[in-house]
């Protein structure tokens, strides 16, 4: 269903905004007239230099670079989550992340890379537990943080677990 246009612009958080898909989502949001603020949350907390060269970093309508309009935040949903084993884990993460109130969140977190040792020994093969963790559990954490920051909408734009399994070969 289409999201009705509101009188105010949106503040959108993009989990995994430095990645292959996330950077394109951030650029699209910045260049739209629907977003007031775009916040990228990723391990590095900055745009990778390989797509912010003069050739690849498309200009905004006002002549500025789109990547300069994104608020880049460093946060690791894996390592930062594991540092505290208490019951109030989400509250502690919320304080570490310092995410302002947001209207919506988009997760571009996902991984379909085979384990290095499996790829070298057996060709293309996947670790089901790792895929579930990196494509499922980390996104659940992103959803919980987005809710705590006030997000009314959440979208998952990434490669799913089933898509990764399809790369292994024909289904028997």
């Amino acid at each position: 269903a289409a999201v009705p246009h509101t009188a105010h612009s949106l503040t959108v958080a993009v989990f995994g905004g430095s990645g292959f898909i996330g950077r394109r989502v951030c650029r699209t949001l910045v260049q739209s007239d629907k977003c007031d603020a775009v916040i990228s949350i990723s391990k590095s907390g900055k745009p990778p230099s390989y797509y912010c060269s003069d050739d690849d970093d498309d200009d905004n309508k006002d002549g500025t670079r789109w990547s300069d309009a994104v608020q880049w935040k460093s946060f690791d949903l894996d390592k930062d989550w594991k540092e505290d084993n208490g019951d109030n884990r989400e509250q502690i993460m919320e304080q570490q992340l310092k995410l302002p109130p947001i209207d919506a969140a988009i997760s571009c977190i996902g991984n379909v890379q085979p384990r290095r040792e499996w790829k070298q020994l057996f060709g293309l093969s996947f670790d089901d537990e790792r895929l579930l963790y990196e494509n499922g559990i980390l996104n659940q954490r992103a959803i919980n943080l987005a809710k705590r920051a006030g997000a009314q909408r959440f979208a998952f734009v990434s490669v799913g677990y089933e898509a990764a399994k399809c790369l292994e070969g024909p289904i028997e």
Side-chain angles (χ1 to χ4, degrees):
V3 177
H5 181 68
T6 57
H8 78 284
S9 292
L10 301 172
T11 298
V12 180
V14 180
F15 289 88
S18 293
F20 181 75
I21 296 170
R23 64 184 159 111
R24 290 167 171 83
V25 170
C26 287
R27 181 179 61 204
T28 300
L29 290 171
V30 164
Q31 292 174 342
S32 80
D33 59 354
K34 308 256 188 304
C35 288
D36 237 0
V38 177
I39 304 162
S40 168
I41 302 155
S42 64
K43 291 178 190 177
S44 71
K46 58 186 176 183
S49 59
Y50 66 84
Y51 69 85
C52 288
S53 67
D54 292 334
D55 295 335
D56 297 332
D57 194 5
D58 296 337
D59 289 340
N60 288 327
K61 294 173 189 171
D62 63 1
T64 61
R65 295 168 67 148
W66 73 265
S67 57
D68 293 336
V70 175
Q71 183 182 3
W72 300 93
K73 289 185 159 285
S74 175
F75 194 78
D76 189 331
L77 285 167
D78 179 31
K79 292 183 179 140
D80 292 339
W81 191 275
K82 291 179 179 177
E83 287 180 7
D84 174 65
N85 293 324
D87 292 334
N88 58 348
R89 193 177 281 170
E90 286 177 21
Q91 184 178 8
I92 291 169
M93 287 182 67
E94 180 183 17
Q95 291 167 355
Q96 287 176 331
L97 179 56
K98 296 181 178 119
L99 190 61
I102 60 173
D103 299 297
I106 300 170
S107 179
C108 302
I109 298 170
N111 188 353
V112 294
Q113 297 288 327
R115 295 176 84 184
R116 281 189 207 123
E117 62 272 15
W118 288 16
K119 188 174 182 181
Q120 292 170 354
L121 294 173
F122 308 111
L124 192 58
S125 187
F126 293 91
D127 176 348
D128 290 346
E129 287 181 30
R130 187 171 139 253
L131 287 172
L132 178 60
Y133 180 77
E134 293 179 359
N135 295 303
I137 293 171
L138 294 182
N139 280 292
Q140 288 175 336
R141 293 175 184 175
I143 290 167
N144 292 338
L145 286 172
K147 279 183 186 177
R148 291 181 71 90
Q152 297 296 307
R153 290 181 168 68
F154 188 91
F156 176 63
V157 182
S158 193
V159 175
Y161 176 74
E162 290 80 11
K165 292 294 290 176
C166 290
L167 294 175
E168 282 190 80
I171 298 172
E172 296 182 34

